[in-house]
Amino acid sequence: FRFKESLAEDLQSADLVISHAGAGSCLETLEKGKPLIVVINEKLMDNHQLELAKQLHRDGCVLYCNCSTLVETLQSMNLSALKPFPPGQPEKFALFLDKVFGLQ
């Protein structure tokens, strides 16, 4: 894709999303309930995308690979084994902040 203001429409109509392992891309896709394969960019500083991809994979929410193993991942994937991503609970974070700052 070239730059788009929003991928919401594309995500809504997708049966499978293949994305880099950026936190925003991963979370937006998972919150929409779409199966996700993340392709890590091993050239990024400290390989931080790998950390996120591994954790989401351990949680059972995504499959991950690198560019050289994408075809193999597509051929062997079992999307039915992926678990739904749990919904966020921003109210818990708000309560925590209220306690920290003495607002409660």
Side-chain angles (χ1 to χ4, degrees), residues 54-70:
K54 280 185 174 182
Q55 184 59 55
L56 290 172
H57 180 71
R58 277 193 295 268
D59 294 343
C61 299
V62 304
L63 300 173
Y64 78 97
C65 62
N66 57 37
C67 289
S68 63
T69 60
L70 177 59

Side-chain angles (χ1 to χ4, degrees), residues 1 7 9-19 25 29-30 32-39 61-65 70-71 73-80 82:
F1 285 106
L7 294 176
E9 246 181 67
D10 298 298
L11 289 173
Q12 195 61 41
S13 64
D15 293 321
L16 170 66
V17 176
I18 301 171
S19 174
S25 300
T29 301
L30 292 171
K32 297 261 190 260
K34 300 298 178 170
L36 175 62
I37 298 175
V38 290
V39 180
C61 299
V62 304
L63 300 173
Y64 78 97
C65 62
L70 177 59
V71 172
T73 300
L74 288 167
Q75 291 170 337
S76 65
M77 68 184 180
N78 177 6
L79 298 179
S80 64
L82 294 176

